[in-house]
Amino acid sequence: MNVKKIPFSDELLREIATTYGTPFHIYDEKGMKDNIKKFQEAFSWHADFKEYFAVKATPNPWIMKSLKEVNVGADCSSMAELILAEAVGLEGEDIVFSSNDTPDEEFIKANELNAIINLDDESNIADLERLNICPKRICFRYNPGPDVNRGNGIIGKPEEAKYGMTHEQLLRSVHWAKEKGISYIGIHTMIISAELELKGLLGTIELMFDLANEIKNKEGIIVNFIDFGGGIGIPYKPEDTAVDLERLGEETRKLYEKKMKGFDNTRICFECGRSITGPYGFLVTEAIHYKHIYRNYIGVDACMADLMRPGMYGAYHHITVLGKENTIHDQVYDVVGSLCENCDKFAIQRKLPEIEKGDLLIIHDTGAHGHSMGFNYNGRLRHQEILVHNDGSVQQIRRNETLKDLFSTLDFPKLIK
Ligand SMILES: Cc1ncc(COP(=O)(O)O)c(C=O)c1O
């Protein structure tokens, strides 16, 4: 059983709640950085290993800046994410632009930043030519389709996924890049998500090593860049076991030694989001209602606008009631937000200690795909983010949305301006 720890004292959380109000997402910079170092150490046997943080997981420039300090790049998939990466001073081979159904202006921006442009489809080659873009660095996203039947609930089977190119298309695209004289060519895939088993992660790595060798044999080139995608899972549930990064590194080294002679100058990388920030973020929310009908409901002041995963995927997020960790968990609640959607529940039939109005609930592992997936249905506003720095100082890194923000795109008299 993994004990779901909170890296902040009760006093600090209460103080922040008093100063800034609830709800808030709070992030632990030290935890994030310590984890990154472990990840980098696990792959330090290779001269060029890099993690590109999947910006979509937590698109906050303060988080990205902090990660940049420990040599983490950015995996961007939209204009907004490219602009965030630029704002924190990333460019060139520190950015992978991995989008799909891509608007022209995003290719133009990625090219301006000299990013590694990862094409999702062979037809994107014609897009680049039409735009007169000959990228300095190009990459191709592989979808192995029915050859790999390993997808999971979140990402689905590769064959059914809209991402990436078939094997044939990818080989043709690499050939095009070689003929075009592009001197930096990469390959990429992302076929698993929230994966806790080494087997699944190593399967992706082996698939990409084999593809790199096939390209070497067919085209006579050594790819410059192999991106295994994101997808490293985190132990959301107490009974889950975290991925052993050291073993992942070690097993990858063995595969590399077996298969990758001559690839010493090839960058190998991941673009994880969840495993980088997920466990180091918490959503703190106050119990504001109690309702007893056929079930017992605790209504909190956060809702699906702040964290969508439970409602959208039925995802488990552990909940601790502050100060009641050791109180007997003999109540069964649905913990709910205020959206007019019955799936707006952070927990369903969860055993918890008795909760009173005013209690603070800590929802764990919200540091990735948490705040970022929020939306404004029902006119609900998304809430603030707070970063606790390495030295213990506290910074509000995003304020609460206001009704003025919400209405700012509406040109109608009598609305707040
Ligand atoms: C292309 C791509 N890369 C990386 C990621 C990050 O995945 P994770 O946060 O599970 O590591 C995603 C997630 O949606 C993705 O689509």
Side-chain angles (χ1 to χ4, degrees):
M1 243 3 179
N2 118 56
V3 180
K4 299 296 294 178
K5 288 194 196 128
I6 299 168
F8 316 112
S9 68
D10 289 14
E11 295 70 43
L12 179 67
L13 291 172
R14 288 190 202 286
E15 201 181 303
I16 293 172
T18 306
T19 309
Y20 296 98
T22 56
F24 54 88
H25 280 274
I26 183 166
Y27 308 109
D28 169 25
E29 183 179 34
K30 183 174 182 321
M32 275 187 300
K33 283 187 165 167
D34 288 350
N35 177 54
I36 287 285
K37 282 181 198 149
K38 256 196 238 161
F39 196 18
Q40 290 165 337
E41 267 160 33
F43 284 85
S44 57
W45 50 264
H46 187 64
D48 194 357
F49 169 77
K50 192 160 179 93
E51 156 64 13
Y52 291 85
F53 176 58
V55 176
K56 60 177 81 70
T58 321
N60 189 304
W62 293 99
I63 301 276
M64 292 166 69
K65 176 175 173 286
S66 167
L67 294 173
K68 179 174 173 258
E69 285 162 11
V70 280
N71 201 26
V72 170
D75 158 42
C76 302
S77 60
S78 66
M79 180 65 90
E81 293 175 9
L82 285 169
I83 290 173
L84 283 168
E86 183 181 28
V88 299
L90 293 166
E91 61 174 1
E93 58 184 340
D94 284 344
I95 302 178
V96 183
F97 178 58
S98 223
S99 65
N100 70 95
D101 196 14
T102 310
D104 288 351
E105 57 272 21
E106 296 186 2
F107 281 134
I108 293 168
K109 182 72 188 171
N111 191 50
E112 271 169 25
L113 292 173
N114 281 320
I116 301 165
I117 299 183
N118 185 25
L119 298 190
D120 181 66
D121 186 33
E122 195 181 10
S123 68
N124 294 142
I125 290 176
D127 293 331
L128 292 183
E129 294 195 317
R130 178 175 45 78
L131 294 167
N132 222 357
I133 291 176
C134 182
K136 220 168 157 178
R137 303 179 178 89
I138 194 103
C139 182
F140 303 103
R141 181 169 182 163
Y142 181 38
N143 179 334
D147 293 347
V148 173
N149 206 4
R150 202 176 31 237
N152 60 24
I154 291 189
I155 207 152
K157 289 184 190 165
E159 194 182 353
E160 293 166 9
K162 65 172 177 165
Y163 308 109
M165 309 182 184
T166 67
H167 186 252
E168 229 174 85
Q169 291 170 341
L170 186 132
L171 291 179
R172 274 202 304 264
S173 300
V174 169
H175 182 75
W176 166 82
K178 183 182 114 177
E179 293 298 302
K180 190 91 184 153
I182 300 177
S183 60
Y184 192 101
I185 301 175
I187 50 174
H188 166 280
T189 199
M190 168 95 196
I191 50 173
I192 42 175
S193 182
E195 181 62 68
L196 288 170
E197 300 288 331
L198 274 192
K199 198 167 157 246
L201 296 165
L202 290 167
T204 302
I205 291 168
E206 186 165 16
L207 176 89
M208 295 308 278
F209 283 172
D210 288 344
L211 184 60
N213 274 296
E214 189 180 351
I215 291 169
K216 181 179 161 198
N217 295 336
K218 292 202 166 125
E219 293 293 337
I221 57 168
I222 301 271
V223 291
N224 303 82
F225 177 86
I226 304 177
D227 185 339
F228 308 125
I232 297 183
I234 59 172
Y236 284 107
K237 296 181 180 164
E239 61 269 29
D240 289 341
T241 306
V243 172
D244 182 340
L245 293 176
E246 217 176 295
R247 267 201 65 207
L248 178 64
E250 184 50 25
E251 295 300 322
T252 306
R253 186 181 65 76
K254 287 184 195 159
L255 276 176
Y256 181 89
E257 282 175 358
K258 193 164 131 203
K259 300 195 165 212
M260 300 297 281
K261 298 268 176 309
F263 284 84
D264 291 355
N265 294 322
T266 297
R267 171 168 288 189
I268 61 171
C269 53
F270 284 91
E271 49 183 46
C272 294
R274 189 184 317 274
S275 61
I276 304 303
T277 49
Y280 311 104
F282 301 80
L283 173 59
V284 179
T285 180
E286 185 180 326
I288 55 172
H289 287 119
Y290 173 78
K291 177 168 178 177
H292 174 70
I293 44 173
Y294 309 103
R295 287 182 177 183
N296 292 332
Y297 294 91
I298 294 295
V300 294
D301 59 2
C303 71
M304 228 177 139
D306 301 295
L307 176 67
M308 204 163 156
R309 298 189 71 258
M312 184 153 127
Y313 307 121
Y316 178 94
H317 280 263
H318 198 70
I319 296 181
T320 300
V321 184
L322 198 67
K324 295 188 176 174
E325 292 87 334
N326 300 319
T327 306
I328 183 163
H329 285 40
D330 59 354
Q331 304 294 309
V332 177
Y333 295 116
D334 281 14
V335 178
V336 303
S338 55
L339 285 199
C340 300
E341 280 296 332
N342 198 40
C343 64
D344 183 17
K345 297 185 177 185
F346 292 117
I348 297 176
Q349 295 295 279
R350 181 84 52 91
K351 273 193 163 174
L352 288 166
E354 185 162 4
I355 296 173
E356 291 153 85
K357 255 173 141 171
D359 275 341
L360 290 181
L361 275 63
I362 319 295
I363 305 180
H364 293 241
D365 302 310
T366 63
H369 311 295
H371 185 283
S372 60
M373 286 177 104
F375 61 117
N376 289 117
Y377 183 59
N378 271 177
R380 292 289 169 205
L381 303 173
R382 287 178 301 166
H383 292 101
Q384 60 199 323
E385 295 177 288
I386 285 169
L387 179 61
V388 180
H389 288 283
N390 267 16
D391 63 3
S393 59
V394 172
Q395 183 189 1
Q396 187 192 45
I397 56 171
R398 186 193 298 269
R399 66 162 169 80
N400 284 319
E401 269 178 0
T402 62
L403 284 174
K404 192 172 166 188
D405 295 327
L406 186 71
F407 294 147
S408 64
T409 50
L410 291 170
D411 190 8
F412 192 82
K414 293 197 178 166
L415 282 175
I416 305 164
K417 283 284 170 212

